[in-house]
Amino acid sequence: MDNLGYLFAANAFVWSGVIYYLFRLIQQNAALKKDLDMLKAALEDDPKS
């Protein structure tokens, strides 16, 4: 029972990594959605189609 501090530290480290990863995925998804919306708008405004 002496190693509970290490267990907590490892658990906190892993969860902070998971939260950071999810945050980055959300940011990347928002950027891709913005790019896709801009591409859709450009294709709708294209007089050739």
mmCIF file of all heavy atoms in Angstrom:
data_model
loop_
_atom_site.group_PDB
_atom_site.id
_atom_site.type_symbol
_atom_site.label_atom_id
_atom_site.label_comp_id
_atom_site.label_asym_id
_atom_site.label_seq_id
_atom_site.Cartn_x
_atom_site.Cartn_y
_atom_site.Cartn_z
ATOM 1 N N MET A 1 0.812 -1.207 0.000
ATOM 2 C CA MET A 1 0.000 0.000 0.000
ATOM 3 C C MET A 1 0.855 1.271 0.000
ATOM 4 O O MET A 1 0.327 2.355 0.054
ATOM 5 C CB MET A 1 -0.907 0.020 1.225
ATOM 6 C CG MET A 1 -2.007 -0.990 1.161
ATOM 7 S SD MET A 1 -3.004 -0.648 -0.282
ATOM 8 C CE MET A 1 -4.466 -1.508 0.079
ATOM 9 N N ASP A 2 2.160 1.083 -0.082
ATOM 10 C CA ASP A 2 3.048 2.248 -0.082
ATOM 11 C C ASP A 2 3.106 2.924 -1.447
ATOM 12 O O ASP A 2 3.573 4.054 -1.562
ATOM 13 C CB ASP A 2 4.463 1.835 0.334
ATOM 14 C CG ASP A 2 4.526 1.370 1.776
ATOM 15 O OD1 ASP A 2 3.648 1.792 2.549
ATOM 16 O OD2 ASP A 2 5.438 0.592 2.092
ATOM 17 N N ASN A 3 2.660 2.261 -2.481
ATOM 18 C CA ASN A 3 2.816 2.781 -3.834
ATOM 19 C C ASN A 3 1.548 3.422 -4.375
ATOM 20 O O ASN A 3 1.420 3.598 -5.586
ATOM 21 C CB ASN A 3 3.256 1.656 -4.763
ATOM 22 C CG ASN A 3 4.626 1.129 -4.426
ATOM 23 O OD1 ASN A 3 5.471 1.872 -3.942
ATOM 24 N ND2 ASN A 3 4.852 -0.143 -4.672
ATOM 25 N N LEU A 4 0.624 3.794 -3.537
ATOM 26 C CA LEU A 4 -0.614 4.401 -4.016
ATOM 27 C C LEU A 4 -0.361 5.759 -4.661
ATOM 28 O O LEU A 4 -1.068 6.148 -5.588
ATOM 29 C CB LEU A 4 -1.620 4.534 -2.877
ATOM 30 C CG LEU A 4 -2.282 3.227 -2.440
ATOM 31 C CD1 LEU A 4 -3.230 3.492 -1.264
ATOM 32 C CD2 LEU A 4 -3.009 2.559 -3.571
ATOM 33 N N GLY A 5 0.631 6.473 -4.202
ATOM 34 C CA GLY A 5 0.989 7.754 -4.812
ATOM 35 C C GLY A 5 1.428 7.576 -6.248
ATOM 36 O O GLY A 5 1.048 8.359 -7.131
ATOM 37 N N TYR A 6 2.240 6.555 -6.505
ATOM 38 C CA TYR A 6 2.681 6.270 -7.873
ATOM 39 C C TYR A 6 1.507 5.835 -8.746
ATOM 40 O O TYR A 6 1.429 6.190 -9.927
ATOM 41 C CB TYR A 6 3.756 5.189 -7.877
ATOM 42 C CG TYR A 6 5.054 5.640 -7.268
ATOM 43 C CD1 TYR A 6 5.512 5.079 -6.087
ATOM 44 C CD2 TYR A 6 5.828 6.630 -7.875
ATOM 45 C CE1 TYR A 6 6.708 5.484 -5.517
ATOM 46 C CE2 TYR A 6 7.018 7.049 -7.322
ATOM 47 C CZ TYR A 6 7.458 6.466 -6.140
ATOM 48 O OH TYR A 6 8.624 6.883 -5.590
ATOM 49 N N LEU A 7 0.621 5.039 -8.187
ATOM 50 C CA LEU A 7 -0.549 4.601 -8.922
ATOM 51 C C LEU A 7 -1.417 5.792 -9.305
ATOM 52 O O LEU A 7 -1.876 5.905 -10.445
ATOM 53 C CB LEU A 7 -1.362 3.606 -8.091
ATOM 54 C CG LEU A 7 -2.627 3.059 -8.733
ATOM 55 C CD1 LEU A 7 -2.283 2.237 -9.966
ATOM 56 C CD2 LEU A 7 -3.409 2.221 -7.735
ATOM 57 N N PHE A 8 -1.627 6.703 -8.364
ATOM 58 C CA PHE A 8 -2.406 7.904 -8.659
ATOM 59 C C PHE A 8 -1.717 8.764 -9.704
ATOM 60 O O PHE A 8 -2.362 9.271 -10.630
ATOM 61 C CB PHE A 8 -2.640 8.716 -7.384
ATOM 62 C CG PHE A 8 -3.337 10.011 -7.641
ATOM 63 C CD1 PHE A 8 -4.690 10.043 -7.907
ATOM 64 C CD2 PHE A 8 -2.640 11.214 -7.642
ATOM 65 C CE1 PHE A 8 -5.346 11.235 -8.170
ATOM 66 C CE2 PHE A 8 -3.274 12.410 -7.910
ATOM 67 C CZ PHE A 8 -4.633 12.417 -8.162
ATOM 68 N N ALA A 9 -0.390 8.925 -9.593
ATOM 69 C CA ALA A 9 0.354 9.743 -10.553
ATOM 70 C C ALA A 9 0.279 9.136 -11.956
ATOM 71 O O ALA A 9 0.071 9.854 -12.936
ATOM 72 C CB ALA A 9 1.807 9.886 -10.112
ATOM 73 N N ALA A 10 0.424 7.828 -12.057
ATOM 74 C CA ALA A 10 0.345 7.175 -13.360
ATOM 75 C C ALA A 10 -1.063 7.297 -13.930
ATOM 76 O O ALA A 10 -1.230 7.555 -15.132
ATOM 77 C CB ALA A 10 0.742 5.707 -13.234
ATOM 78 N N ASN A 11 -2.066 7.129 -13.102
ATOM 79 C CA ASN A 11 -3.451 7.247 -13.542
ATOM 80 C C ASN A 11 -3.740 8.674 -14.028
ATOM 81 O O ASN A 11 -4.361 8.861 -15.076
ATOM 82 C CB ASN A 11 -4.388 6.862 -12.397
ATOM 83 C CG ASN A 11 -5.796 6.613 -12.858
ATOM 84 O OD1 ASN A 11 -6.036 6.419 -14.037
ATOM 85 N ND2 ASN A 11 -6.731 6.622 -11.926
ATOM 86 N N ALA A 12 -3.282 9.659 -13.277
ATOM 87 C CA ALA A 12 -3.481 11.054 -13.669
ATOM 88 C C ALA A 12 -2.742 11.356 -14.972
ATOM 89 O O ALA A 12 -3.269 12.066 -15.838
ATOM 90 C CB ALA A 12 -3.005 11.986 -12.559
ATOM 91 N N PHE A 13 -1.548 10.815 -15.129
ATOM 92 C CA PHE A 13 -0.770 11.033 -16.349
ATOM 93 C C PHE A 13 -1.483 10.434 -17.561
ATOM 94 O O PHE A 13 -1.595 11.088 -18.608
ATOM 95 C CB PHE A 13 0.627 10.423 -16.188
ATOM 96 C CG PHE A 13 1.494 10.591 -17.391
ATOM 97 C CD1 PHE A 13 2.079 11.817 -17.668
ATOM 98 C CD2 PHE A 13 1.728 9.529 -18.247
ATOM 99 C CE1 PHE A 13 2.887 11.977 -18.791
ATOM 100 C CE2 PHE A 13 2.522 9.680 -19.362
ATOM 101 C CZ PHE A 13 3.104 10.899 -19.627
ATOM 102 N N VAL A 14 -1.971 9.218 -17.434
ATOM 103 C CA VAL A 14 -2.655 8.558 -18.545
ATOM 104 C C VAL A 14 -3.935 9.306 -18.902
ATOM 105 O O VAL A 14 -4.206 9.568 -20.082
ATOM 106 C CB VAL A 14 -2.945 7.084 -18.212
ATOM 107 C CG1 VAL A 14 -3.906 6.471 -19.213
ATOM 108 C CG2 VAL A 14 -1.651 6.291 -18.152
ATOM 109 N N TRP A 15 -4.727 9.678 -17.900
ATOM 110 C CA TRP A 15 -5.977 10.377 -18.195
ATOM 111 C C TRP A 15 -5.736 11.759 -18.784
ATOM 112 O O TRP A 15 -6.475 12.205 -19.659
ATOM 113 C CB TRP A 15 -6.864 10.483 -16.953
ATOM 114 C CG TRP A 15 -7.660 9.238 -16.773
ATOM 115 C CD1 TRP A 15 -7.489 8.281 -15.833
ATOM 116 C CD2 TRP A 15 -8.760 8.803 -17.586
ATOM 117 N NE1 TRP A 15 -8.406 7.279 -16.007
ATOM 118 C CE2 TRP A 15 -9.196 7.572 -17.068
ATOM 119 C CE3 TRP A 15 -9.392 9.323 -18.699
ATOM 120 C CZ2 TRP A 15 -10.251 6.869 -17.644
ATOM 121 C CZ3 TRP A 15 -10.444 8.624 -19.272
ATOM 122 C CH2 TRP A 15 -10.867 7.413 -18.745
ATOM 123 N N SER A 16 -4.684 12.439 -18.340
ATOM 124 C CA SER A 16 -4.383 13.738 -18.937
ATOM 125 C C SER A 16 -3.966 13.560 -20.398
ATOM 126 O O SER A 16 -4.307 14.384 -21.247
ATOM 127 C CB SER A 16 -3.310 14.471 -18.140
ATOM 128 O OG SER A 16 -2.086 13.759 -18.159
ATOM 129 N N GLY A 17 -3.263 12.476 -20.706
ATOM 130 C CA GLY A 17 -2.914 12.192 -22.094
ATOM 131 C C GLY A 17 -4.143 11.898 -22.945
ATOM 132 O O GLY A 17 -4.248 12.360 -24.082
ATOM 133 N N VAL A 18 -5.087 11.150 -22.397
ATOM 134 C CA VAL A 18 -6.320 10.840 -23.119
ATOM 135 C C VAL A 18 -7.122 12.115 -23.368
ATOM 136 O O VAL A 18 -7.631 12.345 -24.473
ATOM 137 C CB VAL A 18 -7.156 9.797 -22.344
ATOM 138 C CG1 VAL A 18 -8.554 9.674 -22.919
ATOM 139 C CG2 VAL A 18 -6.455 8.446 -22.349
ATOM 140 N N ILE A 19 -7.226 12.955 -22.364
ATOM 141 C CA ILE A 19 -7.975 14.209 -22.501
ATOM 142 C C ILE A 19 -7.299 15.121 -23.524
ATOM 143 O O ILE A 19 -7.970 15.738 -24.362
ATOM 144 C CB ILE A 19 -8.141 14.893 -21.132
ATOM 145 C CG1 ILE A 19 -9.099 14.072 -20.271
ATOM 146 C CG2 ILE A 19 -8.622 16.322 -21.279
ATOM 147 C CD1 ILE A 19 -9.158 14.493 -18.831
ATOM 148 N N TYR A 20 -5.976 15.198 -23.492
ATOM 149 C CA TYR A 20 -5.247 16.003 -24.471
ATOM 150 C C TYR A 20 -5.474 15.471 -25.877
ATOM 151 O O TYR A 20 -5.707 16.242 -26.817
ATOM 152 C CB TYR A 20 -3.750 16.008 -24.135
ATOM 153 C CG TYR A 20 -2.902 16.709 -25.167
ATOM 154 C CD1 TYR A 20 -2.889 18.099 -25.241
ATOM 155 C CD2 TYR A 20 -2.142 15.987 -26.078
ATOM 156 C CE1 TYR A 20 -2.129 18.749 -26.205
ATOM 157 C CE2 TYR A 20 -1.383 16.624 -27.032
ATOM 158 C CZ TYR A 20 -1.378 18.006 -27.094
ATOM 159 O OH TYR A 20 -0.629 18.640 -28.047
ATOM 160 N N TYR A 21 -5.425 14.151 -26.043
ATOM 161 C CA TYR A 21 -5.644 13.534 -27.346
ATOM 162 C C TYR A 21 -7.046 13.845 -27.865
ATOM 163 O O TYR A 21 -7.215 14.202 -29.033
ATOM 164 C CB TYR A 21 -5.426 12.028 -27.231
ATOM 165 C CG TYR A 21 -5.688 11.263 -28.507
ATOM 166 C CD1 TYR A 21 -4.842 11.394 -29.600
ATOM 167 C CD2 TYR A 21 -6.778 10.411 -28.613
ATOM 168 C CE1 TYR A 21 -5.081 10.699 -30.775
ATOM 169 C CE2 TYR A 21 -7.021 9.711 -29.779
ATOM 170 C CZ TYR A 21 -6.170 9.856 -30.851
ATOM 171 O OH TYR A 21 -6.416 9.172 -32.002
ATOM 172 N N LEU A 22 -8.045 13.729 -27.015
ATOM 173 C CA LEU A 22 -9.411 14.038 -27.429
ATOM 174 C C LEU A 22 -9.559 15.508 -27.787
ATOM 175 O O LEU A 22 -10.246 15.855 -28.759
ATOM 176 C CB LEU A 22 -10.403 13.649 -26.327
ATOM 177 C CG LEU A 22 -10.587 12.154 -26.116
ATOM 178 C CD1 LEU A 22 -11.493 11.903 -24.916
ATOM 179 C CD2 LEU A 22 -11.144 11.494 -27.354
ATOM 180 N N PHE A 23 -8.930 16.384 -27.026
ATOM 181 C CA PHE A 23 -8.969 17.810 -27.317
ATOM 182 C C PHE A 23 -8.369 18.098 -28.687
ATOM 183 O O PHE A 23 -8.929 18.859 -29.477
ATOM 184 C CB PHE A 23 -8.225 18.581 -26.217
ATOM 185 C CG PHE A 23 -8.185 20.059 -26.435
ATOM 186 C CD1 PHE A 23 -9.322 20.829 -26.287
ATOM 187 C CD2 PHE A 23 -6.997 20.686 -26.784
ATOM 188 C CE1 PHE A 23 -9.282 22.200 -26.495
ATOM 189 C CE2 PHE A 23 -6.950 22.054 -26.984
ATOM 190 C CZ PHE A 23 -8.100 22.810 -26.844
ATOM 191 N N ARG A 24 -7.230 17.456 -28.999
ATOM 192 C CA ARG A 24 -6.594 17.654 -30.303
ATOM 193 C C ARG A 24 -7.471 17.106 -31.434
ATOM 194 O O ARG A 24 -7.545 17.687 -32.503
ATOM 195 C CB ARG A 24 -5.216 16.974 -30.330
ATOM 196 C CG ARG A 24 -4.204 17.625 -29.413
ATOM 197 C CD ARG A 24 -3.732 18.932 -29.930
ATOM 198 N NE ARG A 24 -3.016 18.689 -31.184
ATOM 199 C CZ ARG A 24 -2.815 19.609 -32.097
ATOM 200 N NH1 ARG A 24 -3.227 20.824 -31.914
ATOM 201 N NH2 ARG A 24 -2.169 19.318 -33.212
ATOM 202 N N LEU A 25 -8.145 15.962 -31.195
ATOM 203 C CA LEU A 25 -9.043 15.420 -32.204
ATOM 204 C C LEU A 25 -10.203 16.360 -32.471
ATOM 205 O O LEU A 25 -10.607 16.548 -33.628
ATOM 206 C CB LEU A 25 -9.581 14.058 -31.760
ATOM 207 C CG LEU A 25 -8.662 12.872 -31.927
ATOM 208 C CD1 LEU A 25 -9.352 11.616 -31.399
ATOM 209 C CD2 LEU A 25 -8.267 12.676 -33.367
ATOM 210 N N ILE A 26 -10.743 16.958 -31.433
ATOM 211 C CA ILE A 26 -11.852 17.901 -31.593
ATOM 212 C C ILE A 26 -11.390 19.115 -32.382
ATOM 213 O O ILE A 26 -12.094 19.594 -33.285
ATOM 214 C CB ILE A 26 -12.434 18.284 -30.222
ATOM 215 C CG1 ILE A 26 -13.173 17.091 -29.618
ATOM 216 C CG2 ILE A 26 -13.349 19.481 -30.330
ATOM 217 C CD1 ILE A 26 -13.547 17.273 -28.162
ATOM 218 N N GLN A 27 -10.198 19.619 -32.077
ATOM 219 C CA GLN A 27 -9.666 20.764 -32.811
ATOM 220 C C GLN A 27 -9.443 20.417 -34.281
ATOM 221 O O GLN A 27 -9.773 21.203 -35.177
ATOM 222 C CB GLN A 27 -8.340 21.224 -32.209
ATOM 223 C CG GLN A 27 -8.467 22.027 -30.961
ATOM 224 C CD GLN A 27 -7.111 22.538 -30.506
ATOM 225 O OE1 GLN A 27 -6.082 21.894 -30.713
ATOM 226 N NE2 GLN A 27 -7.104 23.686 -29.875
ATOM 227 N N GLN A 28 -8.870 19.249 -34.540
ATOM 228 C CA GLN A 28 -8.612 18.834 -35.919
ATOM 229 C C GLN A 28 -9.920 18.645 -36.669
ATOM 230 O O GLN A 28 -10.026 19.014 -37.845
ATOM 231 C CB GLN A 28 -7.801 17.538 -35.924
ATOM 232 C CG GLN A 28 -7.369 17.100 -37.295
ATOM 233 C CD GLN A 28 -6.343 18.027 -37.916
ATOM 234 O OE1 GLN A 28 -5.615 18.713 -37.215
ATOM 235 N NE2 GLN A 28 -6.293 18.058 -39.220
ATOM 236 N N ASN A 29 -10.917 18.078 -36.009
ATOM 237 C CA ASN A 29 -12.219 17.877 -36.633
ATOM 238 C C ASN A 29 -12.858 19.216 -36.992
ATOM 239 O O ASN A 29 -13.441 19.358 -38.071
ATOM 240 C CB ASN A 29 -13.124 17.080 -35.700
ATOM 241 C CG ASN A 29 -14.385 16.630 -36.374
ATOM 242 O OD1 ASN A 29 -14.399 16.412 -37.571
ATOM 243 N ND2 ASN A 29 -15.449 16.502 -35.599
ATOM 244 N N ALA A 30 -12.743 20.198 -36.114
ATOM 245 C CA ALA A 30 -13.300 21.520 -36.394
ATOM 246 C C ALA A 30 -12.592 22.166 -37.582
ATOM 247 O O ALA A 30 -13.235 22.788 -38.435
ATOM 248 C CB ALA A 30 -13.195 22.403 -35.159
ATOM 249 N N ALA A 31 -11.276 22.005 -37.652
ATOM 250 C CA ALA A 31 -10.523 22.579 -38.773
ATOM 251 C C ALA A 31 -10.908 21.895 -40.085
ATOM 252 O O ALA A 31 -11.072 22.567 -41.114
ATOM 253 C CB ALA A 31 -9.029 22.441 -38.520
ATOM 254 N N LEU A 32 -11.064 20.584 -40.060
ATOM 255 C CA LEU A 32 -11.457 19.872 -41.276
ATOM 256 C C LEU A 32 -12.870 20.249 -41.706
ATOM 257 O O LEU A 32 -13.140 20.383 -42.895
ATOM 258 C CB LEU A 32 -11.358 18.366 -41.051
ATOM 259 C CG LEU A 32 -9.953 17.802 -40.987
ATOM 260 C CD1 LEU A 32 -9.997 16.336 -40.586
ATOM 261 C CD2 LEU A 32 -9.232 17.976 -42.297
ATOM 262 N N LYS A 33 -13.765 20.425 -40.738
ATOM 263 C CA LYS A 33 -15.132 20.830 -41.064
ATOM 264 C C LYS A 33 -15.141 22.214 -41.695
ATOM 265 O O LYS A 33 -15.851 22.462 -42.665
ATOM 266 C CB LYS A 33 -16.002 20.818 -39.819
ATOM 267 C CG LYS A 33 -17.463 21.121 -40.106
ATOM 268 C CD LYS A 33 -18.289 21.056 -38.844
ATOM 269 C CE LYS A 33 -19.739 21.323 -39.054
ATOM 270 N NZ LYS A 33 -20.118 22.268 -40.066
ATOM 271 N N LYS A 34 -14.318 23.117 -41.176
ATOM 272 C CA LYS A 34 -14.219 24.465 -41.743
ATOM 273 C C LYS A 34 -13.707 24.407 -43.172
ATOM 274 O O LYS A 34 -14.253 25.064 -44.065
ATOM 275 C CB LYS A 34 -13.287 25.303 -40.868
ATOM 276 C CG LYS A 34 -13.081 26.708 -41.352
ATOM 277 C CD LYS A 34 -12.111 27.432 -40.439
ATOM 278 C CE LYS A 34 -11.487 28.579 -41.160
ATOM 279 N NZ LYS A 34 -10.335 29.136 -40.456
ATOM 280 N N ASP A 35 -12.671 23.605 -43.409
ATOM 281 C CA ASP A 35 -12.128 23.457 -44.765
ATOM 282 C C ASP A 35 -13.159 22.845 -45.705
ATOM 283 O O ASP A 35 -13.281 23.267 -46.860
ATOM 284 C CB ASP A 35 -10.872 22.599 -44.744
ATOM 285 C CG ASP A 35 -9.687 23.296 -44.107
ATOM 286 O OD1 ASP A 35 -9.748 24.535 -43.943
ATOM 287 O OD2 ASP A 35 -8.702 22.602 -43.770
ATOM 288 N N LEU A 36 -13.880 21.857 -45.233
ATOM 289 C CA LEU A 36 -14.897 21.220 -46.057
ATOM 290 C C LEU A 36 -16.018 22.197 -46.400
ATOM 291 O O LEU A 36 -16.492 22.227 -47.538
ATOM 292 C CB LEU A 36 -15.461 19.993 -45.341
ATOM 293 C CG LEU A 36 -16.468 19.162 -46.110
ATOM 294 C CD1 LEU A 36 -15.847 18.623 -47.390
ATOM 295 C CD2 LEU A 36 -16.989 18.037 -45.249
ATOM 296 N N ASP A 37 -16.436 23.006 -45.432
ATOM 297 C CA ASP A 37 -17.469 24.012 -45.699
ATOM 298 C C ASP A 37 -16.988 25.037 -46.726
ATOM 299 O O ASP A 37 -17.745 25.458 -47.601
ATOM 300 C CB ASP A 37 -17.893 24.703 -44.409
ATOM 301 C CG ASP A 37 -18.674 23.789 -43.490
ATOM 302 O OD1 ASP A 37 -19.213 22.766 -43.981
ATOM 303 O OD2 ASP A 37 -18.758 24.096 -42.281
ATOM 304 N N MET A 38 -15.713 25.443 -46.620
ATOM 305 C CA MET A 38 -15.164 26.383 -47.603
ATOM 306 C C MET A 38 -15.107 25.756 -48.986
ATOM 307 O O MET A 38 -15.405 26.406 -49.992
ATOM 308 C CB MET A 38 -13.769 26.846 -47.169
ATOM 309 C CG MET A 38 -13.779 27.805 -46.007
ATOM 310 S SD MET A 38 -12.174 28.409 -45.395
ATOM 311 C CE MET A 38 -10.983 27.847 -46.511
ATOM 312 N N LEU A 39 -14.760 24.476 -49.063
ATOM 313 C CA LEU A 39 -14.714 23.785 -50.346
ATOM 314 C C LEU A 39 -16.113 23.646 -50.941
ATOM 315 O O LEU A 39 -16.303 23.869 -52.144
ATOM 316 C CB LEU A 39 -14.077 22.413 -50.172
ATOM 317 C CG LEU A 39 -13.906 21.570 -51.422
ATOM 318 C CD1 LEU A 39 -13.044 22.289 -52.444
ATOM 319 C CD2 LEU A 39 -13.314 20.223 -51.061
ATOM 320 N N LYS A 40 -17.090 23.320 -50.114
ATOM 321 C CA LYS A 40 -18.463 23.230 -50.600
ATOM 322 C C LYS A 40 -18.948 24.577 -51.131
ATOM 323 O O LYS A 40 -19.595 24.648 -52.176
ATOM 324 C CB LYS A 40 -19.394 22.751 -49.488
ATOM 325 C CG LYS A 40 -19.307 21.292 -49.201
ATOM 326 C CD LYS A 40 -20.268 20.922 -48.075
ATOM 327 C CE LYS A 40 -20.177 19.468 -47.707
ATOM 328 N NZ LYS A 40 -21.077 19.119 -46.597
ATOM 329 N N ALA A 41 -18.627 25.650 -50.421
ATOM 330 C CA ALA A 41 -19.040 26.984 -50.851
ATOM 331 C C ALA A 41 -18.357 27.352 -52.168
ATOM 332 O O ALA A 41 -18.969 27.945 -53.059
ATOM 333 C CB ALA A 41 -18.701 28.010 -49.783
ATOM 334 N N ALA A 42 -17.086 26.980 -52.310
ATOM 335 C CA ALA A 42 -16.379 27.281 -53.551
ATOM 336 C C ALA A 42 -16.963 26.492 -54.720
ATOM 337 O O ALA A 42 -17.061 27.007 -55.835
ATOM 338 C CB ALA A 42 -14.897 26.967 -53.384
ATOM 339 N N LEU A 43 -17.351 25.265 -54.471
ATOM 340 C CA LEU A 43 -17.931 24.457 -55.549
ATOM 341 C C LEU A 43 -19.333 24.941 -55.921
ATOM 342 O O LEU A 43 -19.715 24.847 -57.084
ATOM 343 C CB LEU A 43 -17.978 22.991 -55.137
ATOM 344 C CG LEU A 43 -16.630 22.284 -55.089
ATOM 345 C CD1 LEU A 43 -16.789 20.874 -54.553
ATOM 346 C CD2 LEU A 43 -15.975 22.269 -56.457
ATOM 347 N N GLU A 44 -20.077 25.439 -54.945
ATOM 348 C CA GLU A 44 -21.416 25.978 -55.249
ATOM 349 C C GLU A 44 -21.322 27.268 -56.060
ATOM 350 O O GLU A 44 -22.187 27.542 -56.885
ATOM 351 C CB GLU A 44 -22.178 26.229 -53.963
ATOM 352 C CG GLU A 44 -22.637 24.960 -53.272
ATOM 353 C CD GLU A 44 -23.257 25.234 -51.917
ATOM 354 O OE1 GLU A 44 -23.267 26.410 -51.477
ATOM 355 O OE2 GLU A 44 -23.720 24.274 -51.285
ATOM 356 N N ASP A 45 -20.276 28.048 -55.844
ATOM 357 C CA ASP A 45 -20.115 29.312 -56.545
ATOM 358 C C ASP A 45 -19.428 29.146 -57.894
ATOM 359 O O ASP A 45 -19.319 30.106 -58.647
ATOM 360 C CB ASP A 45 -19.306 30.294 -55.688
ATOM 361 C CG ASP A 45 -20.044 30.696 -54.427
ATOM 362 O OD1 ASP A 45 -21.286 30.537 -54.404
ATOM 363 O OD2 ASP A 45 -19.398 31.144 -53.475
ATOM 364 N N ASP A 46 -18.964 27.955 -58.207
ATOM 365 C CA ASP A 46 -18.229 27.717 -59.453
ATOM 366 C C ASP A 46 -19.204 27.794 -60.640
ATOM 367 O O ASP A 46 -20.154 27.041 -60.725
ATOM 368 C CB ASP A 46 -17.575 26.331 -59.396
ATOM 369 C CG ASP A 46 -16.648 26.095 -60.557
ATOM 370 O OD1 ASP A 46 -16.245 27.069 -61.207
ATOM 371 O OD2 ASP A 46 -16.306 24.928 -60.801
ATOM 372 N N PRO A 47 -18.974 28.711 -61.579
ATOM 373 C CA PRO A 47 -19.902 28.868 -62.708
ATOM 374 C C PRO A 47 -19.814 27.715 -63.710
ATOM 375 O O PRO A 47 -20.689 27.562 -64.540
ATOM 376 C CB PRO A 47 -19.471 30.179 -63.346
ATOM 377 C CG PRO A 47 -18.049 30.349 -62.960
ATOM 378 C CD PRO A 47 -17.897 29.693 -61.607
ATOM 379 N N LYS A 48 -18.776 26.897 -63.679
ATOM 380 C CA LYS A 48 -18.603 25.818 -64.642
ATOM 381 C C LYS A 48 -19.515 24.636 -64.376
ATOM 382 O O LYS A 48 -19.748 23.838 -65.253
ATOM 383 C CB LYS A 48 -17.161 25.342 -64.636
ATOM 384 C CG LYS A 48 -16.170 26.381 -65.126
ATOM 385 C CD LYS A 48 -14.769 25.850 -65.078
ATOM 386 C CE LYS A 48 -13.789 26.914 -65.503
ATOM 387 N NZ LYS A 48 -12.413 26.448 -65.413
ATOM 388 N N SER A 49 -20.015 24.509 -63.170
ATOM 389 C CA SER A 49 -20.809 23.315 -62.856
ATOM 390 C C SER A 49 -22.259 23.512 -63.002
ATOM 391 O O SER A 49 -22.937 24.164 -63.533
ATOM 392 C CB SER A 49 -20.568 22.876 -61.420
ATOM 393 O OG SER A 49 -20.886 23.924 -60.531
#
